[in-house]
Amino acid sequence: MNRRMTEFSSALVTRAASLRDNPQYSDLEIIIPTRSFHAHKIILSARSSDWGRGVDLSSSVVLDWKAFGDQTCGDILDYIYLDELKCLEDNTLH
């Protein structure tokens, strides 16, 4: 990988991390048991094409994650935005 591409990739990772629960450019809300988060469809879609049964991320404005614990939701968001993989407390994800 050339230097320019490495700098570009690094800048993208840094920018994505700065958008975690940031209303700037937010086009999606994730609702968890005790609060909600600002989210960004482009970042979620870069991580996965499947966000649940019947969920069309392109037309959704809300994702309901209330079935999961707060810690699990936080861990998922850390993975999505920060690329930090933690052991999930909730065994409902496979």
Side-chain angles (χ1 to χ4, degrees), residues 23-90:
Q24 187 176 30
Y25 311 119
S26 174
D27 54 2
L28 187 71
E29 179 182 21
I30 298 175
I31 300 172
I32 70 170
T34 61
R35 62 172 292 211
S36 63
F37 286 88
H38 299 282
H40 307 81
K41 293 177 185 179
I42 191 158
I43 293 177
L44 272 68
S45 66
R47 285 298 196 177
S48 178
S49 60
D50 185 3
W51 289 97
R53 187 176 307 137
V55 174
D56 178 4
L57 196 59
S58 68
S59 62
S60 296
V61 293
V62 173
L63 290 182
D64 183 347
W65 288 4
K66 290 182 287 198
F68 306 113
D70 285 348
Q71 183 63 48
T72 298
C73 294
D75 290 348
I76 294 168
L77 290 168
D78 285 348
Y79 171 70
I80 293 168
Y81 282 89
L82 309 175
D83 201 31
E84 293 178 4
L85 186 58
K86 300 174 183 172
C87 293
L88 298 176
E89 69 170 25
D90 197 329

